[in-house]
Amino acid sequence: MAIQIDGKAIAAQIKDEVRARIEQLREQGTEVTLAVVQVGADPASSVYVRNKKKACEYCGIISRSYELGEETTQEELLALVQSLNEDPGINGILVQLPLPSQIDEDRIIGAISPSKDVDGFHPQSVGALSIGLPGFISCTPAGVIQLLRRSGIEMEGKEAVVVGRSNIVGKPMAALLLRENATVTVAHSRTKNLAEVCRRADILITAIGKPKFFTGEYIREGAAVIDCGINRDENGKLCGDVDYAEAEKIAGAITPVPGGVGPMTVAMLMVNCLASLELQQA
């Protein structure tokens, strides 16, 4: 039976570390401020934004909310982003995705100052990661690395398979695993013999958004299985990309959904908010 990796507990450790550092900064007269921009009232986005604000409050990070109507134009949003870029009192800028159809997400991401890009989505942040330079790292992949490290799971020399090639999870995940000296395969919807490829993995990371897709046949005995999927099953219950009931009988370690990668994403956002201040002071 697999060891369950407790993302909630590890995320709490990280937030406590950030909180301690924020308290030190406050004693020196320095505050950290995050601007949170939400366009429209998508229910899932509202939940994510609420969780991020709660984490900010816990860590001592000031969060400033900008809640815009669904009908907001691209020009209006770009103008707001530009004003936040120029505001010395704002350290990090987060524009909650997805955005309404009239707005080009890539254009908005590209408009955020790279020194305030706490989501790690800006092309400059992505480029820095790919060539090993310092910069913001997308929060979910950064959280997965912390889960593995803090659970004592060795990455160096191990075979890692990442299933999914999105710009937000799959691609940065592969780059981070390479940085940890793992041997990395990126698999996706066009990969032949996917189950066979996955069974090679000492570390299997799934990020495809298909509920319970990865059954026992995809998992090598004793592998670490990290599930980045957040889906609803046929009963409307939260679940991951991995069939947890099957996988936990075969894997050596596994993350649950909920309570695995999700809390880590928010915790790493707090880490990036703290890093934004240090980056701007450099």
Side-chain angles (χ1 to χ4, degrees):
M1 192 70 81
I3 295 163
Q4 187 181 93
I5 298 172
D6 188 343
K8 278 187 185 171
I10 295 172
Q13 280 174 14
I14 290 170
K15 285 190 288 186
D16 283 343
E17 290 163 13
V18 172
R19 183 179 181 171
R21 178 68 183 128
I22 296 284
E23 281 173 5
Q24 286 177 345
L25 289 166
R26 189 175 286 138
E27 284 166 12
Q28 296 161 18
T30 304
E31 299 276 17
V32 180
T33 303
L34 172 67
V36 181
V37 181
Q38 183 178 359
V39 184
D42 175 74
S45 289
S46 296
V47 170
Y48 293 140
V49 166
R50 198 159 57 242
N51 287 344
K52 289 164 185 176
K53 286 179 186 171
K54 271 169 63 180
C56 283
E57 191 178 345
Y58 179 80
C59 292
I61 294 168
I62 298 163
S63 64
R64 280 202 218 160
S65 288
Y66 298 84
E67 292 165 3
L68 310 180
E70 188 78 30
E71 71 292 343
T72 299
T73 66
Q74 181 163 293
E75 288 65 33
E76 287 168 334
L77 184 52
L78 284 168
L80 173 59
V81 168
Q82 189 55 38
S83 72
L84 296 172
N85 284 339
E86 292 167 2
D87 185 341
I90 296 290
N91 304 105
I93 301 170
L94 185 154
V95 178
Q96 182 64 42
L97 304 179
L99 292 168
S101 58
Q102 74 272 18
I103 298 174
D104 179 347
E105 287 185 359
D106 289 339
R107 182 85 188 279
I108 301 304
I109 290 166
I112 296 169
S113 167
S115 68
K116 298 188 178 188
D117 170 41
V118 288
D119 264 331
F121 295 164
H122 191 283
Q124 186 171 312
S125 303
V126 175
L129 171 61
S130 69
I131 60 172
L133 291 176
F136 292 111
I137 298 168
S138 185
C139 298
T140 298
V144 169
I145 294 294
Q146 287 297 321
L147 278 179
L148 292 167
R149 270 192 199 148
R150 292 176 187 238
S151 301
I153 294 166
E154 185 66 47
M155 290 174 268
E156 185 164 338
K158 300 297 182 182
E159 182 130 12
V161 174
V162 179
V163 191
R165 52 179 165 176
S166 73
N167 292 337
I168 290 171
V169 181
K171 289 174 187 171
M173 190 73 255
L176 285 173
L177 286 162
L178 283 171
R179 199 184 266 190
E180 298 292 331
N181 299 313
T183 300
V184 185
T185 300
V186 179
H188 45 78
S189 58
R190 305 294 174 87
T191 300
K192 307 291 184 197
N193 306 317
L194 181 60
E196 192 180 306
V197 172
C198 291
R199 280 198 304 273
R200 296 204 310 254
D202 300 304
I203 300 166
L204 176 63
I205 298 171
T206 68
I208 62 167
K210 290 189 176 179
K212 300 184 183 179
F213 177 88
F214 294 92
T215 55
E217 68 170 316
Y218 289 83
I219 295 158
R220 175 178 176 171
E221 186 84 36
V225 178
I226 309 292
D227 189 346
C228 300
I230 300 176
N231 314 292
R232 298 270 174 191
D233 66 13
E234 61 280 2
N235 303 313
K237 193 176 170 189
L238 270 180
C239 68
D241 292 342
V242 175
D243 185 327
Y244 187 91
E246 276 196 30
E248 72 167 340
K249 295 172 189 165
I250 303 162
I254 188 169
T255 57
V257 177
V261 174
M264 293 298 295
T265 300
V266 177
M268 297 314 292
L269 174 65
M270 301 299 103
V271 171
N272 280 355
C273 288
L274 179 54
S276 71
L277 175 71
E278 289 163 352
L279 192 69
Q280 287 147 32
Q281 287 179 334

